[in-house]
Amino acid sequence: MSTSPRRIAIFGATSDIAVAFARAHAAGGTRFALSARDGAALDRLAQDLKVRGAGEVTVRTVDFADLSQLPAIAEAMWGAFGGLDVALIAYGSLPDQAKACLDPALAEEALRLNFTSPALLVNTLAGYFEAARAGTIAVITSVAGDRGRQSNYVYGGAKGGLQTFLDGVRHRLHASGVTVLDIRPGFVATKMTQHLPQTGPLWAQPDKVASDISAAIAKRRAVLYTPWFWWVIMTIVCALPRAVFHRSKL
């Protein structure tokens, strides 16, 4: 891990993966601009990062489901330290698929928080990074976005749309030298998945995912499957013929 001071903005900073990522980068005077919905949790994280060696930490509360707040929060986070080296977008929600099938409002809420909001935020941030001609926009999507499945297609559809959106932004920003990283975790033991049995070889801890994100940013990668074996799994899942795939209960 580099000890050089950096400027990192994290949107959805109180998520478990985001906290692990921030802690991994705190030493060496890194400056953080943090935003999330829970102001008290943000304050606790800011104090934690300062103890670990962060140079400066600013916090802002924001409801990412309120799309009208996105331009202002992007401007504030970019301007906190006169620009950014890394912007990590880490918020989202995991809806109950069965309920979302029956409740259009619940499905719309999930699509807004997992696709519309992060896509619009990336679009705004892209303008700042493009003008600076440097930096990394890193966005947590999911392996669920690789292929639609009956068990989670509301969530997976939003993440799949976001993956395609990032692909386009990456194409747009290529000439400016800005990196756009699409982070596709599998099962991660976090608060968002605490209602599921978090055991078995496919489950990863937030620290592992955060470490993989840091390495991918350093290598300026475009797409990260984390842990790595999800690339193998999803390659197989995506290669299954539809006639075979539809017989499964995935």
Side-chain angles (χ1 to χ4, degrees), residues 104-177:
L106 179 59
E108 190 276 338
E109 179 183 3
L111 292 170
R112 179 167 6 109
L113 196 58
N114 289 301
F115 172 68
T116 307
S117 175
L120 293 177
L121 183 56
V122 166
N123 209 37
T124 300
L125 288 170
Y128 291 110
F129 278 90
E130 188 173 34
R133 302 186 68 80
T136 297
I137 302 173
V139 184
I140 297 178
T141 65
S142 171
V143 297
D146 285 19
R147 188 165 192 178
R149 295 181 289 123
Q150 61 176 310
S151 62
N152 72 348
Y153 63 79
V154 173
Y155 176 75
K159 294 297 189 180
L162 187 56
Q163 291 172 2
T164 301
F165 193 92
L166 294 176
D167 211 20
V169 174
R170 184 181 304 112
H171 191 188
R172 167 191 165 187
L173 297 183
H174 174 74
S176 65

Side-chain angles (χ1 to χ4, degrees), residues 67-89:
L67 305 183
S68 68
Q69 295 186 29
L70 300 180
I73 193 64
E75 180 180 14
M77 300 282 271
W78 180 266
F81 307 121
L84 295 169
D85 298 303
V86 174
L88 173 63
I89 297 177

Side-chain angles (χ1 to χ4, degrees), residues 36-127:
R37 189 168 50 186
D38 187 338
L42 274 176
D43 289 338
R44 291 193 297 271
L45 177 58
Q47 292 303 314
D48 177 78
L49 295 178
K50 289 176 182 176
V51 170
R52 294 172 186 268
E56 187 176 353
V57 185
T58 68
V59 298
R60 289 176 174 80
T61 57
V62 59
D63 179 2
F64 293 108
D66 181 353
L67 305 183
S68 68
Q69 295 186 29
L70 300 180
I73 193 64
E75 180 180 14
M77 300 282 271
W78 180 266
F81 307 121
L84 295 169
D85 298 303
V86 174
L88 173 63
I89 297 177
Y91 61 86
S93 67
L94 184 61
D96 184 307
Q97 173 69 27
K99 293 180 179 177
C101 287
L102 301 173
D103 184 347
L106 179 59
E108 190 276 338
E109 179 183 3
L111 292 170
R112 179 167 6 109
L113 196 58
N114 289 301
F115 172 68
T116 307
S117 175
L120 293 177
L121 183 56
V122 166
N123 209 37
T124 300
L125 288 170

Side-chain angles (χ1 to χ4, degrees), residues 207-232:
D207 286 346
K208 166 59 178 171
V209 175
S211 176
D212 287 348
I213 293 172
S214 297
I217 290 173
K219 295 177 181 177
R220 304 190 64 181
R221 292 181 58 182
V223 179
L224 167 69
Y225 285 86
T226 171
W228 65 269
F229 52 75
W230 281 102
W231 178 84
V232 178

